[in-house]
């Protein structure tokens, strides 16, 4: 009953908020020094070229193995690491690790194009970021032109000299940029035109209705064409069904990423996937029959 009067409600939500704040604080505390304690690993998910079925890229995704406490995914701990600044060290570790792994796979004769690493706005704003990225590539023996950084639009909102210098340095070494989660933020084309972005990753939320709604299909097609008109490659992420894949192929999408091909995999399984699985789907294959 107390929950139904205004003050009760207030107390209820306050308790929730308090619990949330406590969890955040706990995570923040646990994050400190976690890199040095070896609590992180990287899993990998391929991007698949729509026409050839080959994997032109692999995305590195961070995983945290908390010794105490339950599951905590990057969608939860990355924003916290950004707030407390820990993301700078953590992000640096991911780049080094992903480049090391990429070089090892390449050395082992596995064929793929680029390695993509997610980078947050806080990292970009950290002085010397671009130089550190280049140094990591060199140390790992991974060519910088085969590294791609995935940024969200929020990283591009503020056009500062620092950001320009950062992108200039990266570009001069051939590091490419992708805009992640397109369609969830401002989706402001102005940002994209201002910076040397070569790839647009359309968020899963934009294609959720694509099988049922012609309007959603039209919108997706329009965004794909728009990205391509701006000389960007267009990827759709979070593709789960063969029907979605077929529609996206018809809409002219360049690359697809999603559970349809595979979930993100630990290194050994990713290597196996590269060895055996490519090309998984020959061009022009009709969609698998889907259960109703
Ligand atoms: P993101 O970069 O947009 O990565 C895509 C997310 O969607 C990943 O979640 C991936 O596992 C998931 N995914 C892939 N295919 C499918 C699909 O077919 N269906 C569905 N429903 N989901 C799919 P994950 O690994 O939990 O990562 C979440 C987000 O955390 C990432 O989104 C990225 O923004 C961030 N993140 C992950 N690793 C890093 C990192 O090393 N550094 C930074 N700064 N952020 C990271
Ligand atoms: Mg990404
Ligand atoms: Mg995304
Ligand atoms: Mg994201």
């Amino acid at each position: 009953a107390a929950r139904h009067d205004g003050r009760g409600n207030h107390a209820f939500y306050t308790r929730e908020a308090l619990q949330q704040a406590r969890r955040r604080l706990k995570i923040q505390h646990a994050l400190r020094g976690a890199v040095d304690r070896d609590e992180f690993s990287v899993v990998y998910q391929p991007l698949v070229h729509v026409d050839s079925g080959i994997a032109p890229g692999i995305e590195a995704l961070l995983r945290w193995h908390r010794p105490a406490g339950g599951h905590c995914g990057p969608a939860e701990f990355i924003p916290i690491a950004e707030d407390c600044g820990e993301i700078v060290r953590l992000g640096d570790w991911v780049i080094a690790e992903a480049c090391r792994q990429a070089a090892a796979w390449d050395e082992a004769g596995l064929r793929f194009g680029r390695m993509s690493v997610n980078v947050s706005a806080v990292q970009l704003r950290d002085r010397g970021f671009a130089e550190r990225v280049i140094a990591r590539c060199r140390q790992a023996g991974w060519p910088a032109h085969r590294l791609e950084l995935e940024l969200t639009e929020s990283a591009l909102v503020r056009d500062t000299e620092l950001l320009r210098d950062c992108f200039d340095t990266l570009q001069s070494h051939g590091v490419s940029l992708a805009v992640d989660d397109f369609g969830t933020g401002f989706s402001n084309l102005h940002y994209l035109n201002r910076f040397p972005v070569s790839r647009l990753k359309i968020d899963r939320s934009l294609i959720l209705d694509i099988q049922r709604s012609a309007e959603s299909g039209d919108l997706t097609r329009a965004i794909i064409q728009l990205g391509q008109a701006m000389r960007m490659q267009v990827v759709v992420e979070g593709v789960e069904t063969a029907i979605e894949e077929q529609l996206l192929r018809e809409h002219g999408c360049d690359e697809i990423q999603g559970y349809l091909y595979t979930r993100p995999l630990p290194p050994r399984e990713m290597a196996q996937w590269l060895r055996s699985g490519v090309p998984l789907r020959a061009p022009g294959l009709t969609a698998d029959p889907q259960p109703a």
Side-chain angles (χ1 to χ4, degrees):
R3 270 182 34 181
H4 289 290
D5 84 9
R7 304 178 77 188
N9 252 329
H10 181 71
F12 176 71
Y13 287 119
T14 303
R15 208 175 310 136
E16 282 245 300
L18 204 71
Q19 248 165 25
Q20 239 176 23
R22 262 202 214 106
R23 181 169 166 86
R24 270 186 84 90
L25 218 65
K26 230 165 113 179
I27 289 170
Q28 185 179 326
H29 185 75
L31 277 172
R32 207 161 299 142
V35 178
D36 298 322
R37 293 191 302 271
D38 254 341
E39 293 178 8
F40 294 96
S41 72
V42 182
V43 290
Y44 298 91
Q45 191 183 33
L47 290 89
V48 176
H49 188 240
V50 171
D51 291 330
S52 66
I54 62 155
I58 297 175
E59 179 176 4
L61 294 159
L62 192 56
R63 293 293 178 265
W64 186 16
H65 312 278
R66 280 169 83 194
H71 172 83
C72 185
E76 183 176 14
F77 72 74
I78 293 282
I80 299 174
E82 287 172 352
D83 281 351
C84 68
E86 196 68 23
I87 190 67
V88 173
R89 289 212 50 209
L90 191 50
D92 185 54
W93 179 84
V94 180
I95 292 168
E97 177 60 19
C99 289
R100 185 201 62 74
Q101 184 59 260
W105 280 335
D106 193 61
E107 181 82 19
L110 296 177
R111 296 192 45 203
F112 63 98
R114 49 181 200 275
M115 175 61 74
S116 301
V117 182
N118 294 284
V119 160
S120 86
V122 179
Q123 288 171 270
L124 286 176
R125 273 188 241 119
D126 193 56
R127 214 161 270 285
F129 170 76
E131 287 76 14
R132 273 200 304 283
V133 169
I134 303 308
R136 291 302 176 222
C137 288
R138 199 168 295 139
Q139 285 156 4
W142 183 245
H145 70 265
R146 291 179 70 185
L147 177 68
E148 182 161 271
L149 302 180
E150 297 191 2
L151 326 166
T152 52
E153 287 172 88
S154 61
L156 303 176
V157 172
R158 282 198 297 170
D159 185 0
T160 61
E161 208 181 309
L162 186 74
L163 198 61
R164 293 246 154 223
D165 289 347
C166 174
F167 288 159
D168 282 349
T169 304
L170 291 172
Q171 205 180 15
S172 71
H173 288 84
V175 176
S176 58
L177 301 179
V179 167
D180 207 346
D181 303 341
F182 190 76
T184 61
F186 305 98
S187 302
N188 185 330
L189 300 172
H190 185 57
Y191 304 140
L192 301 178
N193 241 345
R194 257 184 344 201
F195 299 108
V197 176
S198 51
R199 200 176 318 279
L200 200 59
K201 296 189 79 174
I202 298 179
D203 194 75
R204 161 164 184 77
S205 58
L206 241 91
I207 62 139
L208 276 181
D209 268 341
I210 196 176
Q211 294 186 32
R212 279 175 303 258
S213 136
E215 195 185 320
S216 168
D218 290 344
L219 183 66
T220 306
R221 182 197 294 267
I223 293 177
I224 291 170
Q225 287 174 349
L226 195 113
Q228 289 166 344
M230 290 173 77
R231 303 291 178 263
M232 289 184 283
Q233 297 251 310
V234 180
V235 185
V236 175
E237 53 179 0
V239 176
E240 295 184 353
T241 73
I243 294 176
E244 288 169 349
E245 180 201 45
Q246 182 62 36
L247 288 169
L248 291 169
R249 175 180 289 130
E250 285 164 18
H251 293 334
C253 170
D254 297 295
E255 294 173 6
I256 286 177
Q257 185 178 25
Y259 295 165
L260 173 67
Y261 301 106
T262 172
R263 289 180 175 259
L265 299 170
R268 202 179 297 257
E269 288 165 47
M270 184 67 229
Q272 228 155 23
W273 188 92
L274 284 171
R275 248 182 230 114
S276 64
V278 188
L280 280 188
R281 285 159 189 278
L285 268 189
T286 49
D288 293 340
Q290 289 290 303

